């Protein structure tokens, strides 16, 4: 869940400052406005955004709960889990398929473990899944483990459902460290009379060093108590996923294991992004012309005591855990709340193309150009990267928007490839084939990336976001809507949301624009 906190003890702005002084800065041309407490505002010539000093706030985000219902097709590997990450598997990828809206693992060799996990390391986690075997095991038992804390095939914990040849069903809790398995909770019977394809549910949970699990027949009530609950510090962080095994002596192979409805109810990342500062980002009615005027002084004094939502507050209204907000003036349409990236394609990957008004489920007329656009089918509650930026800076902050017409440097276009070179405001950093310096980066700036090597036009900008500040580790972090997390995030799932380092976005950064 994303959290925004405001330190009420840092509200130092009553009454408005009486005396303001200014200082001209260059590179880019800026006007720094100060009061008796220090720098109060920074205006940039040619840009509408103003960085204001305000109450200190902290922005944090954690793992977005999700359910993988395997509604996709894949003949090799499990593909991408909506909102979860990419599935990775051990051994031959064709042993892992998605068919008939279930995941299927083929145990073709006895005593050979099959592992598949979602690439996203979690510490505390609460996860359930539905599992079955398509045939009653013959010769020896078959087991399906719900894995947590997975870092390798030899290092993980698992709640292991055992299907015996007699039809009895047992649940064990195990840890594996360096290839050595230790039983934490002995195999205990939870059912009898297993039939081919009978679905069972497993739940595994870690809270600190406490590990718990339980299992029950699908369609019956989940037990109120844990079957196994132990204290153990092994494998404190890692992926969630499955481990399937046809035990030694199994006959009639391959044995097919099916999995479905993997649900991460909650999860904590190993490193939770946290950004704390006292910068608020406001937007002028017109770009700053470089001259300090009485009207601007009045505006800065007003903003100095204003705690209504700014750019960053609106940006947080669409990330993980953000509550739904509706607008009476738009017939009750939802205008804020946790957003997805887009509807899913046949392979389970979110589709690009949802704009801000698609999120609302409304047709829109762009007054700056006269263009009209209907809401996209299935795109309600969704925004792609530029749709998210347009929601914040266009819909909420009032910068005029167009789609593809009348792009003149004062309006906010629909596509990233146009926003970068020809959008509103000024370019503060740019490089053709490498990341530009971050020297002039300011909170609220819009970084642009050439992150998709499959673009038909080489060097074309294809992704953007909003810079929110330096995190607790000293890393410049931005918030952006993208496919793998399935929506707006400033976490590191599917790529680090950082502008420094060696990650995808740090190395594909090409342009920074200040609106």
């Amino acid at each position: 869940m994303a959290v925004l906190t405001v330190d009420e003890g840092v509200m130092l702005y009553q009454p408005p400052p009486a005396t303001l002084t200014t200082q001209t800065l260059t590179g880019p041309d800026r006007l720094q406005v100060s009061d008796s407490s220090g720098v109060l505002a920074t205006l940039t010539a040619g840009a509408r955004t103003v960085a204001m000093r305000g109450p200190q706030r902290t922005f944090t985000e954690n793992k977005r709960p999700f359910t993988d219902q395997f509604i996709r097709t894949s003949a090799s590997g499990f593909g991408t889990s909506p909102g979860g990450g990419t599935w990775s598997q051990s051994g031959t990828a064709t042993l892992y398929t998605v068919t008939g809206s279930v995941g299927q693992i083929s145990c073709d060799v006895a005593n050979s473990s099959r592992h598949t996990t979602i690439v996203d390391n979690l510490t505390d986690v609460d996860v359930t899944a539905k599992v079955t075997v398509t045939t009653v095991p013959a010769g020896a038992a078959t087991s399906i483990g719900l894995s947590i804390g997975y870092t390798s095939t030899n290092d993980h914990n698992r709640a292991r459902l055992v299907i015996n040849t007699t039809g009895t069903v047992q649940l064990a809790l195990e840890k594996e460290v360096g290839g050595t398995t230790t039983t934490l909770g002995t195999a205990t019977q939870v059912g009898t009379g297993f039939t081919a394809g009978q679905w069972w549910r497993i739940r595994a949970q870690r809270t600190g060093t406490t590990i718990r699990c339980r299992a029950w027949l699908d369609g019956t009530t989940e037990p109120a108590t844990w079957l196994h609950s132990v204290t153990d510090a092994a494998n404190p962080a890692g992926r969630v996923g499955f481990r399937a095994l046809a035990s030694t002596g199994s006959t009639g192979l391959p044995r097919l294991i099916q999995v479905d409805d993997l649900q991460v109810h909650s999860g904590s990342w190993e490193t939770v992004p946290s950004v704390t500062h006292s910068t608020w980002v406001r937007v002028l009615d017109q770009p700053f012309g470089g001259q300090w005027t009485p009207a601007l002084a009045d505006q800065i004094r007003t903003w100095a005591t204003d705690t209504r939502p700014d750019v960053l507050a609106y940006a947080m209204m669409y990330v993980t855990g953000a509550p739904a907000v509706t607008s009476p003036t738009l017939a009750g349409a939802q205008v804020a709340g946790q957003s997805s990236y887009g509807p899913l394609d046949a392979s389970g990957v979110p589709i690009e193309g949802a704009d801000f008004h698609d999120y609302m489920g409304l047709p829109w007329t762009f007054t700056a150009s006269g263009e009209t656009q209907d809401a996209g089918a299935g795109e309600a509650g969704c925004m792609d990267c530029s749709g998210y930026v347009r929601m914040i800076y266009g819909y909420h902050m009032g910068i005029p928007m167009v789609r593809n017409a009348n792009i003149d440097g004062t309006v906010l276009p629909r596509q990233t490839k146009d926003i970068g070179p020809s959008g509103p405001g000024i370019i503060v950093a740019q490089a053709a084939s490498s990341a530009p310096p971050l020297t002039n980066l300011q909170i609220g700036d819009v970084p642009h990336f050439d992150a998709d090597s499959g673009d038909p036009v080489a060097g074309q900008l294809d992704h953007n976001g909003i810079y929110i500040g330096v995190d607790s580790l000293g890393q410049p972090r931005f918030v952006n809507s993208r496919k793998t997390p399935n929506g707006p995030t400033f976490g590191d799932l599917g790529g680090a949301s950082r502008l420094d380092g060696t990650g995808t976005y740090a190395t594909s950064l090409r342009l920074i624009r200040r609106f």
Side-chain angles (χ1 to χ4, degrees):
M1 175 176 291
V3 178
L4 183 158
T5 60
V6 178
D7 186 349
E8 299 295 344
V10 191
M11 296 185 68
L12 307 174
Y13 311 99
Q14 299 289 345
T19 302
L20 298 176
T21 60
T22 62
Q23 179 183 359
T24 300
L25 306 175
T26 59
D29 292 340
R30 290 158 292 157
L31 187 72
Q32 192 176 82
V33 183
S34 299
D35 63 5
S36 59
S37 297
V39 177
L40 178 60
T42 302
L43 297 84
T44 302
R48 293 175 59 172
T49 53
V50 179
M52 291 287 306
R53 188 184 74 224
Q56 181 172 286
R57 296 177 292 183
T58 295
F59 308 97
T60 61
E61 181 186 358
N62 220 320
K63 176 68 178 179
R64 177 176 297 202
F66 72 96
T67 300
D68 190 343
Q69 297 179 309
F70 295 90
I71 303 176
R72 56 187 181 272
T73 56
S74 175
S76 180
F78 276 11
T80 299
S81 179
T86 302
W87 283 93
S88 176
Q89 59 279 324
S90 65
T92 306
T94 52
L95 296 175
Y96 307 82
T97 57
V98 179
T99 179
S101 297
V102 298
Q104 191 160 271
I105 306 170
S106 176
C107 292
D108 59 336
V109 178
N111 199 35
S112 182
S113 295
R114 305 297 182 208
H115 296 267
T116 181
T117 56
I118 296 176
V119 182
D120 189 20
N121 284 354
L122 304 175
T123 52
D124 288 0
V125 67
D126 184 6
V127 57
T128 61
K130 195 167 73 169
V131 300
T132 191
V133 185
T134 60
T135 57
V136 176
T142 293
S143 62
I144 313 106
L146 180 57
S147 303
I148 60 175
Y150 176 100
T151 55
S152 74
T153 57
N154 294 323
D155 297 274
H156 59 279
N157 301 321
R158 55 182 176 252
R160 186 166 68 95
L161 195 75
V162 183
I163 313 298
N164 295 299
T165 57
T166 59
T168 59
V169 182
Q170 299 171 303
L171 182 68
L173 180 61
E174 300 171 339
K175 70 175 179 181
E176 188 166 344
V177 178
T180 299
T181 299
T182 302
T183 299
L184 302 175
T186 57
T188 302
Q189 184 168 302
V190 292
T192 59
F194 178 85
T195 57
Q198 182 185 73
W199 288 98
W200 280 76
R201 291 188 180 267
I202 312 171
R203 187 165 195 160
Q205 186 183 91
R206 180 210 313 283
T207 305
T209 57
T210 300
I211 307 171
R212 310 179 183 93
C213 67
R214 56 190 176 218
W216 64 100
L217 181 65
D218 185 43
T220 65
T221 303
E222 178 178 355
T225 59
W226 298 100
L227 181 64
H228 300 301
S229 181
V230 302
T231 298
D232 194 278
N235 305 312
R239 306 174 187 174
V240 301
F242 299 101
R243 180 256 203 182
L245 176 70
S247 298
T248 300
S250 294
T251 58
L253 301 181
R255 186 139 304 136
L256 297 180
I257 309 298
Q258 291 184 333
V259 298
D260 201 0
D261 290 353
L262 177 82
Q263 183 173 4
V264 173
H265 303 281
S266 64
S268 298
W269 282 320
E270 284 187 275
T271 303
V272 178
S274 179
V275 177
T276 300
H277 56 67
S278 58
T279 299
W280 292 56
V281 181
R282 301 295 184 183
V283 177
L284 294 166
D285 291 337
Q286 297 293 330
F288 175 52
Q291 298 299 314
W292 181 240
T293 65
L296 280 174
D298 289 343
Q299 180 66 82
I300 296 302
R301 287 191 179 94
T302 299
W303 280 339
T305 61
D306 190 352
T307 55
R308 290 175 299 175
D310 70 330
V311 167
L312 303 187
Y314 281 121
M316 295 301 116
M317 292 183 185
Y318 301 92
V319 296
T320 301
V325 178
T326 59
S327 171
T329 62
L330 293 175
Q334 182 170 320
V335 296
Q338 177 177 300
S339 173
S340 298
Y341 182 89
L344 307 182
D345 65 16
S347 63
V349 176
I351 300 169
E352 183 179 358
D355 200 0
F356 74 98
H357 66 93
D358 297 310
Y359 172 93
M360 302 177 193
L362 298 174
W364 205 265
T365 298
F366 298 92
T367 56
S369 63
E371 297 165 291
T372 60
Q373 186 71 22
D374 289 335
E379 292 181 342
C382 302
M383 290 181 290
D384 63 19
C385 64
S386 55
Y388 173 60
V389 169
R390 281 158 60 86
M391 174 67 87
I392 307 309
Y393 271 112
Y395 176 73
H396 286 296
M397 303 309 296
I399 294 179
M401 290 181 284
V402 299
R403 284 189 60 80
N404 303 305
N406 299 347
I407 301 173
D408 60 5
T410 67
V411 294
L412 185 49
R414 171 65 184 100
Q415 296 176 285
T416 301
K417 69 180 182 67
D418 296 319
I419 298 172
S422 305
I426 67 166
I427 294 172
V428 297
Q430 185 175 16
S433 58
S434 62
L438 304 179
T439 310
N440 297 320
L441 184 65
Q442 180 174 285
I443 292 171
D445 285 352
V446 180
H448 291 73
F449 308 87
D450 178 16
D452 187 352
S453 59
D455 279 339
V457 179
Q460 179 172 282
L461 299 175
D462 49 49
H463 187 66
N464 61 8
I466 300 171
Y467 175 57
I468 62 172
V470 175
D471 66 17
S472 58
L473 300 178
Q475 303 159 339
R477 191 163 289 274
F478 70 105
V479 59
N480 60 129
S481 184
R482 60 179 189 262
K483 293 180 180 180
T484 302
N486 195 19
T489 183
F490 52 99
D492 294 335
L493 177 60
S497 295
R498 292 170 47 190
L499 300 179
D500 67 343
T502 58
T504 297
Y505 296 109
T507 56
S508 64
L509 176 66
R510 294 293 179 266
L511 183 149
I512 301 171
R513 179 169 285 280
R514 185 168 303 160
F515 287 172

